[in-house]
Amino acid sequence: MRTLSRNTAAGSAPQHAPAAPAAPPVIAVRDVRISDRVTDREIVHGVGFELTPGKAVGIVGESGSGKTLTCRAVLGILPPHFEVSGGSVEIDGTDIATLTPRQWTALRGTTVGAVFQDPASYLNPSIRVGAQIAEVIRVKKGVKRREARRQALELLRAVRLRDPELVYGQYTYELSGGMLQRVLIAAAIAVEPRALIADEATTALDVTVQAEILDLLAELRERTGLALVVVSHDLAVVAQLCDEVLVMRQGEVVEQGPTHSVLHDPQHAYTRLLMAEHEQYGLDKFLTPKEAS
Ligand SMILES: Nc1ncnc2c1ncn2[C@@H]1O[C@H](COP(=O)(O)OP(=O)(O)OP(=O)(O)O)[C@@H](O)[C@H]1O
Ligand SMILES: [Mg+2]
């Protein structure tokens, strides 16, 4: 693995960028390869994208194509015997391979947050949900309990939970899947991360609730400049939210580009297949005409 000198100077622009973009990427994934150390098998064969503030990148593809492993590599939480065997991940210009566990803990949550498909398993069933969010805020922001509670309530309101005061005092088993996902999003954005990774975050939800959560993510992106990585097997989800899309199959990125061009003019047979599968769900309604006049 490459060893790079640690870039600790906050806000320093990457020196090697040829033409400096307007905003430096929050996350830069460069030709990342992921291997199983036990079997010595490469599972992800090179993924790359750059995520600047307010941008949304989508990753689609069949089950087992490496979407979740890619996200976990970015978050530095690969399963035990997996490793990044090639390429690099930079968060705020720092190669994550150079981070100590302590630095990782500081970065995870504060710069990059994540929400997954099964919100309940990321929350403690025996602690009221509001108190869990408040605790995150208290620890990460170093504010007093009372202020943490106020901010937690504000967040529950921001994720459009109807009765924040009531939800604050409830336990996970008292909440529906959609409510739990909102709570988890609230917890993930509590410390104002600059990027959020949503891995199948709406998959388990019914269509209406799914649409509401997607709206919420779009709104957060618009309002706070939150950058998004959205993983879904559902092209419609990506079409709705993302500027750029990566289509993965068996650990390869078979197609990548602006969502609009990929979905209007897919180059790879697999992308066309995915689109054909989705036609029945009404993907069309998310595709705005290229030249609306
Ligand atoms: N913890 C693990 N232990 C062993 N193999 C794993 C583990 N996680 C992933 N894999 C393997 O790595 C490959 C990619 O898995 P990954 O979870 O990234 O796929 P995915 O694209 O997220 O699929 P899905 O759409 O089903 O979530 C699969 O072949 C899977 O079997
Ligand atoms: Mg997955």
Side-chain angles (χ1 to χ4, degrees), residues 43 61-70 72 79 81-82 200 233:
I43 304 209
E62 65 195 5
S63 187
S65 57
K67 305 183 297 293
T68 295
L69 283 184
T70 301
R72 294 184 68 162
H81 48 96
F82 287 83
E200 304 278 10
H233 62 274

Side-chain angles (χ1 to χ4, degrees), residues 231-247:
V231 172
S232 182
H233 62 274
D234 188 342
L235 268 178
V237 167
V238 164
Q240 199 178 341
L241 265 183
C242 301
D243 312 289
E244 184 182 343
V245 62
L246 283 76
V247 181

Side-chain angles (χ1 to χ4, degrees), residues 87-116:
S88 64
V89 175
E90 284 175 21
I91 293 181
D92 262 345
T94 303
D95 188 327
I96 63 170
T98 66
L99 295 172
T100 63
R102 185 190 287 257
Q103 288 172 317
W104 243 127
T105 310
L107 209 66
R108 203 178 297 127
T110 54
T111 305
V112 185
V115 280
F116 296 95

Side-chain angles (χ1 to χ4, degrees), residues 30-35 42 44-47 83-88:
R30 304 192 206 281
D31 193 28
V32 160
R33 289 159 188 275
I34 301 165
S35 300
E42 188 177 275
V44 173
H45 315 294
V47 178
E83 65 179 2
V84 174
S85 50
S88 64

